[in-house]
PDB file of all heavy atoms in Angstrom:
ATOM      1  N   ASP V 172     -13.150 -55.446  13.899  1.00 98.00           N
ATOM      2  CA  ASP V 172     -14.464 -55.422  14.550  1.00 98.00           C
ATOM      3  C   ASP V 172     -14.345 -54.788  15.942  1.00 98.00           C
ATOM      4  O   ASP V 172     -13.477 -55.168  16.725  1.00 98.00           O
ATOM      5  CB  ASP V 172     -15.013 -56.848  14.662  1.00 98.00           C
ATOM      6  CG  ASP V 172     -16.490 -56.846  15.037  1.00 98.00           C
ATOM      7  OD1 ASP V 172     -17.146 -55.797  14.882  1.00 98.00           O
ATOM      8  OD2 ASP V 172     -16.993 -57.904  15.469  1.00 98.00           O
ATOM      9  N   GLY V 173     -15.190 -53.818  16.226  1.00 97.00           N
ATOM     10  CA  GLY V 173     -15.188 -53.182  17.546  1.00 97.00           C
ATOM     11  C   GLY V 173     -14.242 -52.001  17.663  1.00 97.00           C
ATOM     12  O   GLY V 173     -14.262 -51.290  18.672  1.00 97.00           O
ATOM     13  N   TYR V 174     -13.416 -51.771  16.648  1.00 97.00           N
ATOM     14  CA  TYR V 174     -12.385 -50.723  16.743  1.00 97.00           C
ATOM     15  C   TYR V 174     -12.994 -49.344  16.957  1.00 97.00           C
ATOM     16  O   TYR V 174     -12.395 -48.483  17.591  1.00 97.00           O
ATOM     17  CB  TYR V 174     -11.542 -50.736  15.460  1.00 97.00           C
ATOM     18  CG  TYR V 174     -10.290 -49.901  15.517  1.00 97.00           C
ATOM     19  CD1 TYR V 174      -9.220 -50.282  16.327  1.00 97.00           C
ATOM     20  CD2 TYR V 174     -10.157 -48.744  14.752  1.00 97.00           C
ATOM     21  CE1 TYR V 174      -8.055 -49.535  16.376  1.00 97.00           C
ATOM     22  CE2 TYR V 174      -8.988 -47.984  14.798  1.00 97.00           C
ATOM     23  CZ  TYR V 174      -7.943 -48.381  15.607  1.00 97.00           C
ATOM     24  OH  TYR V 174      -6.793 -47.642  15.649  1.00 97.00           O
ATOM     25  N   LEU V 175     -14.178 -49.135  16.397  1.00 97.00           N
ATOM     26  CA  LEU V 175     -14.811 -47.815  16.524  1.00 97.00           C
ATOM     27  C   LEU V 175     -15.990 -47.836  17.499  1.00 97.00           C
ATOM     28  O   LEU V 175     -16.892 -47.013  17.419  1.00 97.00           O
ATOM     29  CB  LEU V 175     -15.253 -47.327  15.133  1.00 97.00           C
ATOM     30  CG  LEU V 175     -14.094 -47.166  14.132  1.00 97.00           C
ATOM     31  CD1 LEU V 175     -14.597 -46.981  12.715  1.00 97.00           C
ATOM     32  CD2 LEU V 175     -13.202 -45.997  14.533  1.00 97.00           C
ATOM     33  N   GLY V 176     -15.960 -48.807  18.397  1.00 95.00           N
ATOM     34  CA  GLY V 176     -17.043 -48.915  19.376  1.00 95.00           C
ATOM     35  C   GLY V 176     -18.110 -49.884  18.906  1.00 95.00           C
ATOM     36  O   GLY V 176     -18.159 -50.261  17.736  1.00 95.00           O
ATOM     37  N   ASP V 177     -18.962 -50.262  19.843  1.00 93.00           N
ATOM     38  CA  ASP V 177     -19.947 -51.302  19.558  1.00 93.00           C
ATOM     39  C   ASP V 177     -21.005 -50.884  18.542  1.00 93.00           C
ATOM     40  O   ASP V 177     -21.614 -51.715  17.887  1.00 93.00           O
ATOM     41  CB  ASP V 177     -20.650 -51.739  20.850  1.00 93.00           C
ATOM     42  CG  ASP V 177     -19.705 -52.520  21.753  1.00 93.00           C
ATOM     43  OD1 ASP V 177     -18.666 -52.999  21.224  1.00 93.00           O
ATOM     44  OD2 ASP V 177     -19.988 -52.641  22.956  1.00 93.00           O
ATOM     45  N   ALA V 178     -21.212 -49.566  18.433  1.00 95.00           N
ATOM     46  CA  ALA V 178     -22.323 -49.107  17.586  1.00 95.00           C
ATOM     47  C   ALA V 178     -21.972 -49.115  16.097  1.00 95.00           C
ATOM     48  O   ALA V 178     -22.853 -49.002  15.254  1.00 95.00           O
ATOM     49  CB  ALA V 178     -22.740 -47.710  18.017  1.00 95.00           C
ATOM     50  N   THR V 179     -20.672 -49.252  15.774  1.00 97.00           N
ATOM     51  CA  THR V 179     -20.260 -49.155  14.367  1.00 97.00           C
ATOM     52  C   THR V 179     -19.865 -50.520  13.824  1.00 97.00           C
ATOM     53  O   THR V 179     -19.042 -51.208  14.424  1.00 97.00           O
ATOM     54  CB  THR V 179     -19.045 -48.202  14.229  1.00 97.00           C
ATOM     55  OG1 THR V 179     -19.398 -46.965  14.823  1.00 97.00           O
ATOM     56  CG2 THR V 179     -18.662 -47.985  12.773  1.00 97.00           C
ATOM     57  N   ASP V 180     -20.434 -50.883  12.677  1.00 98.00           N
ATOM     58  CA  ASP V 180     -19.945 -52.074  11.987  1.00 98.00           C
ATOM     59  C   ASP V 180     -18.819 -51.611  11.074  1.00 98.00           C
ATOM     60  O   ASP V 180     -19.048 -50.952  10.058  1.00 98.00           O
ATOM     61  CB  ASP V 180     -21.060 -52.731  11.171  1.00 98.00           C
ATOM     62  CG  ASP V 180     -20.591 -54.050  10.552  1.00 98.00           C
ATOM     63  OD1 ASP V 180     -19.359 -54.236  10.393  1.00 98.00           O
ATOM     64  OD2 ASP V 180     -21.451 -54.888  10.225  1.00 98.00           O
ATOM     65  N   THR V 181     -17.579 -51.949  11.454  1.00 98.00           N
ATOM     66  CA  THR V 181     -16.418 -51.396  10.746  1.00 98.00           C
ATOM     67  C   THR V 181     -16.367 -51.846   9.288  1.00 98.00           C
ATOM     68  O   THR V 181     -15.676 -51.227   8.477  1.00 98.00           O
ATOM     69  CB  THR V 181     -15.108 -51.805  11.448  1.00 98.00           C
ATOM     70  OG1 THR V 181     -15.075 -53.229  11.548  1.00 98.00           O
ATOM     71  CG2 THR V 181     -15.008 -51.186  12.833  1.00 98.00           C
ATOM     72  N   LEU V 182     -17.085 -52.917   8.961  1.00 98.00           N
ATOM     73  CA  LEU V 182     -17.063 -53.376   7.567  1.00 98.00           C
ATOM     74  C   LEU V 182     -17.836 -52.434   6.646  1.00 98.00           C
ATOM     75  O   LEU V 182     -17.675 -52.494   5.424  1.00 98.00           O
ATOM     76  CB  LEU V 182     -17.596 -54.808   7.464  1.00 98.00           C
ATOM     77  CG  LEU V 182     -16.655 -55.863   8.067  1.00 98.00           C
ATOM     78  CD1 LEU V 182     -17.289 -57.243   7.993  1.00 98.00           C
ATOM     79  CD2 LEU V 182     -15.295 -55.869   7.367  1.00 98.00           C
ATOM     80  N   ASP V 183     -18.663 -51.559   7.211  1.00 98.00           N
ATOM     81  CA  ASP V 183     -19.316 -50.547   6.377  1.00 98.00           C
ATOM     82  C   ASP V 183     -18.248 -49.727   5.641  1.00 98.00           C
ATOM     83  O   ASP V 183     -18.397 -49.388   4.473  1.00 98.00           O
ATOM     84  CB  ASP V 183     -20.165 -49.592   7.238  1.00 98.00           C
ATOM     85  CG  ASP V 183     -21.417 -50.283   7.780  1.00 98.00           C
ATOM     86  OD1 ASP V 183     -21.754 -51.383   7.289  1.00 98.00           O
ATOM     87  OD2 ASP V 183     -22.041 -49.720   8.707  1.00 98.00           O
ATOM     88  N   TYR V 184     -17.185 -49.407   6.362  1.00 98.00           N
ATOM     89  CA  TYR V 184     -16.102 -48.597   5.795  1.00 98.00           C
ATOM     90  C   TYR V 184     -15.386 -49.362   4.670  1.00 98.00           C
ATOM     91  O   TYR V 184     -15.186 -48.850   3.574  1.00 98.00           O
ATOM     92  CB  TYR V 184     -15.138 -48.217   6.913  1.00 98.00           C
ATOM     93  CG  TYR V 184     -13.923 -47.437   6.473  1.00 98.00           C
ATOM     94  CD1 TYR V 184     -14.055 -46.204   5.837  1.00 98.00           C
ATOM     95  CD2 TYR V 184     -12.632 -47.925   6.696  1.00 98.00           C
ATOM     96  CE1 TYR V 184     -12.932 -45.487   5.442  1.00 98.00           C
ATOM     97  CE2 TYR V 184     -11.510 -47.209   6.302  1.00 98.00           C
ATOM     98  CZ  TYR V 184     -11.658 -45.998   5.676  1.00 98.00           C
ATOM     99  OH  TYR V 184     -10.549 -45.290   5.280  1.00 98.00           O
ATOM    100  N   PHE V 185     -15.028 -50.626   4.958  1.00 98.00           N
ATOM    101  CA  PHE V 185     -14.347 -51.447   3.944  1.00 98.00           C
ATOM    102  C   PHE V 185     -15.229 -51.601   2.704  1.00 98.00           C
ATOM    103  O   PHE V 185     -14.775 -51.423   1.571  1.00 98.00           O
ATOM    104  CB  PHE V 185     -13.993 -52.809   4.563  1.00 98.00           C
ATOM    105  CG  PHE V 185     -13.216 -53.740   3.663  1.00 98.00           C
ATOM    106  CD1 PHE V 185     -12.290 -53.252   2.739  1.00 98.00           C
ATOM    107  CD2 PHE V 185     -13.392 -55.121   3.760  1.00 98.00           C
ATOM    108  CE1 PHE V 185     -11.561 -54.122   1.922  1.00 98.00           C
ATOM    109  CE2 PHE V 185     -12.672 -55.995   2.946  1.00 98.00           C
ATOM    110  CZ  PHE V 185     -11.765 -55.492   2.033  1.00 98.00           C
TER     111      PHE V 185
END
Side-chain angles (χ1 to χ4, degrees):
D172 193 18
Y174 191 69
L175 299 168
D177 290 342
T179 305
D180 185 338
T181 56
L182 290 177
D183 289 346
Y184 177 60
F185 183 34

